Amino acid sequence: MDITTITDDSVVVHDGERVERHVGLAPDTVHTLGGAASGTTVRTLPRPPGELLCRFTTVNDVHFGEVEAGRLDEHSTGPVRRVPDGAEPYPEVMNRTAVAEMLALEPDAVIVKGDLSVDGKPEEWAAFEACYREPFGDRLHVVRGNHDSYHHQDAYAGDQTIDLPGMTIALLDTAIPGETTGRITPTQADWLDAVCADAAGPVIAMGHHQQWVATVGGRRSETYFGLHPDGSDLLDDVAVRRSALLAYSAGHTHRHRVRTMSQSGIPTIEVGCTKDFPGTWAEHRVYEGGVMHVAHRMSSPEALAWSESCRTLYAADGVDYVTYALGSLSDRCFVIPLR
């Protein structure tokens, strides 16, 4: 049994493939749940002050074209999950559910933070476009990830500014063509600084690769799996100078995790993948006085059947995937205050 989502007025519980929704709750209040979570207490999120100005959603690591989940490399022992011969590919199942659930919210924008494909093949991007572009149209904003640029492709490349009511999103292209790791260049940091300086309200930066964050006794690594430490520091430097910048949000790691930047202290966020466990998309509710970040586990029967089957991925490689990917409730659902 997992309490997967909390908002200011609701709690969602997943018990295997069964879903319970507790709604109509008071904000910022401890509630005792019934049902599968009987006796469990949980505090709803505080509602940021002021009017709700807009709502936008994000996904990442959707991986159209992927045919097996759980393989780190050719030496991985798994377990590796595949669908039966002739069955619909699981990226189609998972992303169709994500689209349907996001559509129901009528978001002002949908942001896809990279890894649209498994290898950047035209047919993989075509499958992505067929799933996402038709329902969302010009509300869809996309940037590439490492899987989309392994062969030095330039589709979905470049930084973008997305202006919404009460919020500006700075979408950064963090990919290094041909590489798994990512970067933010000095030119990109200057661009982000200018976006923050010109924005009428708060800014959230987004990209595919997660940030390197200095820790006590930690070591800078030239081969860090996410953003290179130099670019990570540049991102933090912008946040120190520009109080409009509230957070940085990424994918890439297939996990839910929130840390704080070393100097500015603002959140640096990782959102779990859409294509397997826990099967996630994220909602951002922008209020006059802050932003509510809410991760949703997809709940259609076919999506839950697949994601539940992926709980043991990487077990033979020594990974507790449920703990790693799901993170804590506070890694998934929280309020980002204005600065």
Side-chain angles (χ1 to χ4, degrees), residues 179-210:
E179 302 292 336
T180 299
T181 57
R183 67 184 172 195
I184 291 175
T185 67
T187 299
Q188 287 178 297
D190 289 343
W191 172 83
L192 177 60
D193 186 278
V195 169
C196 293
D198 293 342
V203 177
I204 291 180
M206 294 187 167
H208 180 65
H209 292 84
Q210 87 284 5

Side-chain angles (χ1 to χ4, degrees), residues 124-262:
E124 295 168 354
W125 285 334
F128 166 78
E129 289 285 335
C131 184
Y132 281 88
R133 186 72 62 180
E134 181 175 344
F136 294 118
D138 60 7
R139 290 182 290 169
L140 183 69
H141 306 272
V142 185
V143 75
R144 64 183 175 173
N146 52 293
H147 277 270
D148 308 306
S149 56
Y150 277 143
H151 306 293
H152 296 263
Q153 307 98 313
D154 59 7
Y156 307 104
D159 306 326
Q160 307 166 49
T161 304
I162 304 155
D163 292 313
L164 300 173
M167 171 62 62
T168 296
I169 301 164
L171 188 57
L172 289 155
D173 177 3
T174 62
I176 304 173
E179 302 292 336
T180 299
T181 57
R183 67 184 172 195
I184 291 175
T185 67
T187 299
Q188 287 178 297
D190 289 343
W191 172 83
L192 177 60
D193 186 278
V195 169
C196 293
D198 293 342
V203 177
I204 291 180
M206 294 187 167
H208 180 65
H209 292 84
Q210 87 284 5
Q211 187 179 15
W212 178 86
V213 175
T215 57
V216 176
R219 182 177 63 88
R220 296 177 75 87
S221 171
E222 294 296 312
T223 58
Y224 178 65
F225 180 64
L227 291 176
H228 189 280
D230 291 349
S232 296
D233 287 348
L234 290 174
L235 178 58
D236 198 1
D237 291 343
V238 173
V240 169
R241 292 192 300 272
R242 302 296 181 186
S243 61
L245 186 58
L246 301 186
Y248 173 68
S249 180
H252 190 53
T253 57
H254 298 198
R255 75 188 304 184
H256 292 280
R257 181 171 64 158
V258 180
R259 298 168 293 158
T260 55
M261 296 189 194
S262 303

Side-chain angles (χ1 to χ4, degrees), residues 229-308:
D230 291 349
S232 296
D233 287 348
L234 290 174
L235 178 58
D236 198 1
D237 291 343
V238 173
V240 169
R241 292 192 300 272
R242 302 296 181 186
S243 61
L245 186 58
L246 301 186
Y248 173 68
S249 180
H252 190 53
T253 57
H254 298 198
R255 75 188 304 184
H256 292 280
R257 181 171 64 158
V258 180
R259 298 168 293 158
T260 55
M261 296 189 194
S262 303
Q263 302 301 316
S264 64
I266 69 170
T268 183
I269 303 160
E270 297 160 46
V271 177
C273 72
T274 300
K275 57 105 177 173
D276 56 60
F277 182 84
T280 297
W281 58 275
E283 172 192 5
H284 301 74
R285 303 178 190 177
V286 179
Y287 290 84
E288 291 176 312
V291 181
M292 188 182 302
H293 177 287
V294 179
H296 295 273
R297 187 179 181 203
M298 294 181 295
S299 296
S300 73
E302 58 268 31
L304 281 175
W306 171 255
S307 64
E308 280 295 301

